[in-house]
Amino acid sequence: MTDSNWTPADDAQAAISGYGPEEPLLTAFAFLEGLGKELPPEELAVTVTPESLDSWGNFTSAKAALDAIGEWGVGSYPEPAPDAADVAYVKLLADVPEAYQAVGDVPVTVAAWITLIWRPEHGFWLVHGLGDAIEPARLPRTSPGVAPEYTRAGN
């Protein structure tokens, strides 16, 4: 690929290409991709907390919520919960037809939040909610305040 063919989507892909299981963004992408491909519920179940599994049902409500956003994108970096290293939030952005990596203070429209929890017994982050960000005190945390380092804005 030559530089003249390089796009903002390529920048975004390159930024996450080296991520490992300690990155909440990877679980968020797996969850969203599974919803988009309408994977069977048992396949999507591996991306969510066991405690939230019943509330997802067959994931059709989550898929409908995602579809209602229209053209969506994902924030470049997860946001840690204040005073809860084991909780992270990933932004779902409205009106993002093409991937790009935001640099600096770029105003965005947050359509929904994906709430993730680090679960050391699984070895990766799991989705607990889609919609409003869920405060840490209301989450089933198994390692309160403890999580691996992950890529954040400014890192």
Side-chain angles (χ1 to χ4, degrees):
M1 178 179 298
T2 65
D3 286 345
S4 64
N5 295 329
W6 194 261
T7 68
D10 295 320
D11 284 339
Q13 183 63 38
I16 65 165
S17 65
Y19 284 5
E22 71 282 357
E23 296 289 344
L25 204 52
L26 285 187
T27 300
F29 280 137
F31 175 73
L32 294 168
E33 184 175 346
L35 287 177
K37 291 182 176 180
E38 298 183 18
L39 292 180
E42 59 273 11
E43 291 183 37
L44 279 164
V46 301
T47 64
V48 302
T49 60
E51 298 84 356
S52 70
L53 188 56
D54 287 344
S55 69
W56 294 106
N58 63 6
F59 293 92
T60 55
S61 293
K63 171 77 165 105
L66 188 61
D67 289 346
I69 295 172
E71 291 186 304
W72 55 268
V74 175
S76 298
Y77 299 102
E79 295 188 14
D83 301 319
D86 57 314
V87 177
Y89 305 108
V90 172
K91 295 177 217 163
L92 273 179
L93 310 173
D95 303 318
V96 181
E98 184 175 300
Y100 69 96
Q101 185 173 18
V103 178
D105 293 330
V106 177
V108 295
T109 302
V110 178
W113 292 92
I114 300 172
T115 300
L116 297 106
I117 308 169
W118 171 251
R119 297 301 287 266
E121 66 273 24
H122 294 275
F124 50 90
W125 294 82
L126 293 174
V127 173
H128 190 76
L130 171 64
D132 292 332
I134 304 170
E135 52 190 79
R138 296 181 41 223
L139 296 170
R141 299 161 62 199
T142 61
S143 65
V146 178
E149 285 296 316
Y150 59 88
T151 306
R152 303 171 193 196
N155 282 11

